[in-house]
Amino acid sequence: MNGMYWLDTGTGPPLVLLHGGFLDHTMWDDQIRVLAAHHRVIAPDARGHGRSANPTEPYRLTDDLAALLRHLDTGPAVLVGVSMGASTAVDTALEHPELVSAVVVSGAGTSEPYFTDPWTTQVLATWHSAMAAGDLEASIETFMLFAAGPHRGLDDVDPGITGRLRRMARATMSKPPPERPARSSPYATPGSASPRSTFPCWPSTGPSTPPTT
């Protein structure tokens, strides 16, 4: 699987947990302990993140995930994703609907996001500048602003969470660059590969209770 790492634990209906950008599968540690009692939980590290190898050729995260699910012979699985992981879940549901039974996403749409609010665009610009300058500490601390959002400070966030986020971000951002830098391949128009999808989708934008079926 091209140097990809994933956790596969528990038995039952397949449930795939997809981490956010610059993080890794350990962001789900608390949830995995509970969910694995009744599900087959699969938690991969995306390329270049966590314990997965850096990419050496053009790639798409949805293709990586589809290849992994076929490799593991999961059948249709529930995809749960946050931020980058949510984008991967949506893209996979649209392009590979036969692999998806339901989608639960938070903090993203497809893998072609477009941000317009001033706070997000300013933080992204500062973050990208720090990364371009090779300033690891500034990159991590600017990235951490997304943990609090525009209306809180990091002191308002559980220190256990911020500590875990910093650890994951540092591990991913400090990985040695590949000998042959690779970029992700462009995506087709979202949904063009699958004009009709019949699985349930629960998009989350804040504290709420999922619908019962």
Side-chain angles (χ1 to χ4, degrees), residues 126-145:
T126 303
W127 181 29
H128 291 160
S129 294
M131 289 194 292
D135 189 334
L136 177 62
E137 297 306 321
S139 297
I140 293 171
E141 290 311 306
T142 307
F143 172 79
M144 288 297 299
L145 295 177

PDB file of all heavy atoms in Angstrom, residues 126-145:
ATOM      1  N   THR A 126      -0.885  33.647   7.153  1.00  0.00           N
ATOM      2  CA  THR A 126       0.218  33.659   8.113  1.00  0.00           C
ATOM      3  C   THR A 126       0.859  32.281   8.227  1.00  0.00           C
ATOM      4  O   THR A 126       2.089  32.148   8.274  1.00  0.00           O
ATOM      5  CB  THR A 126      -0.289  34.117   9.489  1.00  0.00           C
ATOM      6  OG1 THR A 126      -0.897  35.413   9.365  1.00  0.00           O
ATOM      7  CG2 THR A 126       0.849  34.195  10.499  1.00  0.00           C
ATOM      8  N   TRP A 127       0.019  31.264   8.256  1.00  0.00           N
ATOM      9  CA  TRP A 127       0.505  29.885   8.364  1.00  0.00           C
ATOM     10  C   TRP A 127       1.326  29.496   7.139  1.00  0.00           C
ATOM     11  O   TRP A 127       2.424  28.953   7.252  1.00  0.00           O
ATOM     12  CB  TRP A 127      -0.689  28.961   8.547  1.00  0.00           C
ATOM     13  CG  TRP A 127      -0.366  27.510   8.708  1.00  0.00           C
ATOM     14  CD1 TRP A 127       0.763  26.973   9.248  1.00  0.00           C
ATOM     15  CD2 TRP A 127      -1.198  26.412   8.338  1.00  0.00           C
ATOM     16  NE1 TRP A 127       0.679  25.596   9.243  1.00  0.00           N
ATOM     17  CE2 TRP A 127      -0.514  25.231   8.688  1.00  0.00           C
ATOM     18  CE3 TRP A 127      -2.461  26.312   7.768  1.00  0.00           C
ATOM     19  CZ2 TRP A 127      -1.048  23.963   8.470  1.00  0.00           C
ATOM     20  CZ3 TRP A 127      -2.997  25.050   7.552  1.00  0.00           C
ATOM     21  CH2 TRP A 127      -2.295  23.901   7.898  1.00  0.00           C
ATOM     22  N   HIS A 128       0.817  29.793   5.964  1.00  0.00           N
ATOM     23  CA  HIS A 128       1.536  29.446   4.740  1.00  0.00           C
ATOM     24  C   HIS A 128       2.864  30.191   4.648  1.00  0.00           C
ATOM     25  O   HIS A 128       3.873  29.638   4.173  1.00  0.00           O
ATOM     26  CB  HIS A 128       0.670  29.754   3.521  1.00  0.00           C
ATOM     27  CG  HIS A 128      -0.514  28.856   3.392  1.00  0.00           C
ATOM     28  ND1 HIS A 128      -1.631  29.172   2.627  1.00  0.00           N
ATOM     29  CD2 HIS A 128      -0.786  27.638   3.949  1.00  0.00           C
ATOM     30  CE1 HIS A 128      -2.514  28.197   2.725  1.00  0.00           C
ATOM     31  NE2 HIS A 128      -2.026  27.263   3.520  1.00  0.00           N
ATOM     32  N   SER A 129       2.889  31.436   5.121  1.00  0.00           N
ATOM     33  CA  SER A 129       4.139  32.198   5.117  1.00  0.00           C
ATOM     34  C   SER A 129       5.170  31.555   6.037  1.00  0.00           C
ATOM     35  O   SER A 129       6.357  31.463   5.702  1.00  0.00           O
ATOM     36  CB  SER A 129       3.882  33.645   5.544  1.00  0.00           C
ATOM     37  OG  SER A 129       3.076  34.320   4.591  1.00  0.00           O
ATOM     38  N   ALA A 130       4.717  31.115   7.211  1.00  0.00           N
ATOM     39  CA  ALA A 130       5.634  30.458   8.149  1.00  0.00           C
ATOM     40  C   ALA A 130       6.178  29.161   7.573  1.00  0.00           C
ATOM     41  O   ALA A 130       7.370  28.853   7.696  1.00  0.00           O
ATOM     42  CB  ALA A 130       4.919  30.196   9.478  1.00  0.00           C
ATOM     43  N   MET A 131       5.314  28.388   6.916  1.00  0.00           N
ATOM     44  CA  MET A 131       5.778  27.130   6.328  1.00  0.00           C
ATOM     45  C   MET A 131       6.747  27.393   5.180  1.00  0.00           C
ATOM     46  O   MET A 131       7.760  26.697   5.038  1.00  0.00           O
ATOM     47  CB  MET A 131       4.575  26.313   5.851  1.00  0.00           C
ATOM     48  CG  MET A 131       3.749  25.725   6.993  1.00  0.00           C
ATOM     49  SD  MET A 131       2.575  24.453   6.440  1.00  0.00           S
ATOM     50  CE  MET A 131       1.435  25.472   5.491  1.00  0.00           C
ATOM     51  N   ALA A 132       6.445  28.415   4.357  1.00  0.00           N
ATOM     52  CA  ALA A 132       7.339  28.727   3.242  1.00  0.00           C
ATOM     53  C   ALA A 132       8.711  29.170   3.732  1.00  0.00           C
ATOM     54  O   ALA A 132       9.730  28.924   3.077  1.00  0.00           O
ATOM     55  CB  ALA A 132       6.710  29.810   2.372  1.00  0.00           C
ATOM     56  N   ALA A 133       8.748  29.819   4.912  1.00  0.00           N
ATOM     57  CA  ALA A 133      10.016  30.281   5.485  1.00  0.00           C
ATOM     58  C   ALA A 133      10.749  29.175   6.233  1.00  0.00           C
ATOM     59  O   ALA A 133      11.871  29.383   6.707  1.00  0.00           O
ATOM     60  CB  ALA A 133       9.763  31.459   6.417  1.00  0.00           C
ATOM     61  N   GLY A 134      10.124  28.013   6.366  1.00  0.00           N
ATOM     62  CA  GLY A 134      10.749  26.915   7.088  1.00  0.00           C
ATOM     63  C   GLY A 134      10.772  27.108   8.588  1.00  0.00           C
ATOM     64  O   GLY A 134      11.592  26.500   9.283  1.00  0.00           O
ATOM     65  N   ASP A 135       9.869  27.936   9.108  1.00  0.00           N
ATOM     66  CA  ASP A 135       9.815  28.217  10.542  1.00  0.00           C
ATOM     67  C   ASP A 135       8.855  27.227  11.200  1.00  0.00           C
ATOM     68  O   ASP A 135       7.638  27.452  11.211  1.00  0.00           O
ATOM     69  CB  ASP A 135       9.353  29.661  10.768  1.00  0.00           C
ATOM     70  CG  ASP A 135       9.487  30.096  12.218  1.00  0.00           C
ATOM     71  OD1 ASP A 135       9.456  29.232  13.107  1.00  0.00           O
ATOM     72  OD2 ASP A 135       9.602  31.320  12.460  1.00  0.00           O
ATOM     73  N   LEU A 136       9.392  26.137  11.719  1.00  0.00           N
ATOM     74  CA  LEU A 136       8.567  25.072  12.268  1.00  0.00           C
ATOM     75  C   LEU A 136       7.737  25.554  13.450  1.00  0.00           C
ATOM     76  O   LEU A 136       6.532  25.275  13.533  1.00  0.00           O
ATOM     77  CB  LEU A 136       9.443  23.892  12.682  1.00  0.00           C
ATOM     78  CG  LEU A 136       8.717  22.715  13.358  1.00  0.00           C
ATOM     79  CD1 LEU A 136       7.690  22.101  12.422  1.00  0.00           C
ATOM     80  CD2 LEU A 136       9.727  21.661  13.818  1.00  0.00           C
ATOM     81  N   GLU A 137       8.367  26.276  14.384  1.00  0.00           N
ATOM     82  CA  GLU A 137       7.641  26.705  15.585  1.00  0.00           C
ATOM     83  C   GLU A 137       6.492  27.640  15.236  1.00  0.00           C
ATOM     84  O   GLU A 137       5.385  27.512  15.767  1.00  0.00           O
ATOM     85  CB  GLU A 137       8.599  27.363  16.573  1.00  0.00           C
ATOM     86  CG  GLU A 137       9.686  26.433  17.089  1.00  0.00           C
ATOM     87  CD  GLU A 137       9.129  25.155  17.695  1.00  0.00           C
ATOM     88  OE1 GLU A 137       8.093  25.224  18.387  1.00  0.00           O
ATOM     89  OE2 GLU A 137       9.724  24.085  17.464  1.00  0.00           O
ATOM     90  N   ALA A 138       6.753  28.601  14.351  1.00  0.00           N
ATOM     91  CA  ALA A 138       5.690  29.524  13.945  1.00  0.00           C
ATOM     92  C   ALA A 138       4.596  28.780  13.188  1.00  0.00           C
ATOM     93  O   ALA A 138       3.397  29.099  13.333  1.00  0.00           O
ATOM     94  CB  ALA A 138       6.264  30.654  13.089  1.00  0.00           C
ATOM     95  N   SER A 139       4.970  27.793  12.384  1.00  0.00           N
ATOM     96  CA  SER A 139       3.976  27.010  11.649  1.00  0.00           C
ATOM     97  C   SER A 139       3.054  26.273  12.603  1.00  0.00           C
ATOM     98  O   SER A 139       1.830  26.272  12.434  1.00  0.00           O
ATOM     99  CB  SER A 139       4.678  25.999  10.733  1.00  0.00           C
ATOM    100  OG  SER A 139       5.455  26.640   9.755  1.00  0.00           O
ATOM    101  N   ILE A 140       3.643  25.656  13.627  1.00  0.00           N
ATOM    102  CA  ILE A 140       2.840  24.907  14.592  1.00  0.00           C
ATOM    103  C   ILE A 140       1.910  25.833  15.370  1.00  0.00           C
ATOM    104  O   ILE A 140       0.718  25.560  15.525  1.00  0.00           O
ATOM    105  CB  ILE A 140       3.751  24.124  15.553  1.00  0.00           C
ATOM    106  CG1 ILE A 140       4.502  23.029  14.801  1.00  0.00           C
ATOM    107  CG2 ILE A 140       2.938  23.518  16.705  1.00  0.00           C
ATOM    108  CD1 ILE A 140       5.590  22.353  15.617  1.00  0.00           C
ATOM    109  N   GLU A 141       2.447  26.941  15.863  1.00  0.00           N
ATOM    110  CA  GLU A 141       1.635  27.829  16.693  1.00  0.00           C
ATOM    111  C   GLU A 141       0.530  28.505  15.888  1.00  0.00           C
ATOM    112  O   GLU A 141      -0.571  28.719  16.396  1.00  0.00           O
ATOM    113  CB  GLU A 141       2.519  28.866  17.375  1.00  0.00           C
ATOM    114  CG  GLU A 141       3.412  28.268  18.449  1.00  0.00           C
ATOM    115  CD  GLU A 141       2.632  27.375  19.419  1.00  0.00           C
ATOM    116  OE1 GLU A 141       1.620  27.849  19.992  1.00  0.00           O
ATOM    117  OE2 GLU A 141       3.023  26.203  19.600  1.00  0.00           O
ATOM    118  N   THR A 142       0.789  28.826  14.622  1.00  0.00           N
ATOM    119  CA  THR A 142      -0.274  29.399  13.795  1.00  0.00           C
ATOM    120  C   THR A 142      -1.320  28.344  13.485  1.00  0.00           C
ATOM    121  O   THR A 142      -2.530  28.611  13.536  1.00  0.00           O
ATOM    122  CB  THR A 142       0.304  29.969  12.489  1.00  0.00           C
ATOM    123  OG1 THR A 142       1.357  30.878  12.789  1.00  0.00           O
ATOM    124  CG2 THR A 142      -0.773  30.706  11.701  1.00  0.00           C
ATOM    125  N   PHE A 143      -0.881  27.144  13.183  1.00  0.00           N
ATOM    126  CA  PHE A 143      -1.809  26.032  12.955  1.00  0.00           C
ATOM    127  C   PHE A 143      -2.709  25.814  14.170  1.00  0.00           C
ATOM    128  O   PHE A 143      -3.901  25.532  14.033  1.00  0.00           O
ATOM    129  CB  PHE A 143      -1.007  24.768  12.652  1.00  0.00           C
ATOM    130  CG  PHE A 143      -1.819  23.507  12.579  1.00  0.00           C
ATOM    131  CD1 PHE A 143      -2.555  23.205  11.449  1.00  0.00           C
ATOM    132  CD2 PHE A 143      -1.840  22.613  13.644  1.00  0.00           C
ATOM    133  CE1 PHE A 143      -3.302  22.035  11.384  1.00  0.00           C
ATOM    134  CE2 PHE A 143      -2.578  21.452  13.583  1.00  0.00           C
ATOM    135  CZ  PHE A 143      -3.313  21.158  12.446  1.00  0.00           C
ATOM    136  N   MET A 144      -2.148  25.967  15.358  1.00  0.00           N
ATOM    137  CA  MET A 144      -2.910  25.733  16.582  1.00  0.00           C
ATOM    138  C   MET A 144      -4.064  26.704  16.758  1.00  0.00           C
ATOM    139  O   MET A 144      -5.007  26.429  17.500  1.00  0.00           O
ATOM    140  CB  MET A 144      -1.972  25.802  17.790  1.00  0.00           C
ATOM    141  CG  MET A 144      -1.023  24.620  17.917  1.00  0.00           C
ATOM    142  SD  MET A 144      -1.888  23.053  18.161  1.00  0.00           S
ATOM    143  CE  MET A 144      -2.746  23.403  19.705  1.00  0.00           C
ATOM    144  N   LEU A 145      -4.015  27.846  16.087  1.00  0.00           N
ATOM    145  CA  LEU A 145      -5.115  28.803  16.197  1.00  0.00           C
ATOM    146  C   LEU A 145      -6.432  28.191  15.725  1.00  0.00           C
ATOM    147  O   LEU A 145      -7.504  28.578  16.201  1.00  0.00           O
ATOM    148  CB  LEU A 145      -4.803  30.068  15.393  1.00  0.00           C
ATOM    149  CG  LEU A 145      -3.616  30.896  15.877  1.00  0.00           C
ATOM    150  CD1 LEU A 145      -3.382  32.070  14.935  1.00  0.00           C
ATOM    151  CD2 LEU A 145      -3.842  31.387  17.311  1.00  0.00           C
TER     152      LEU A 145
END
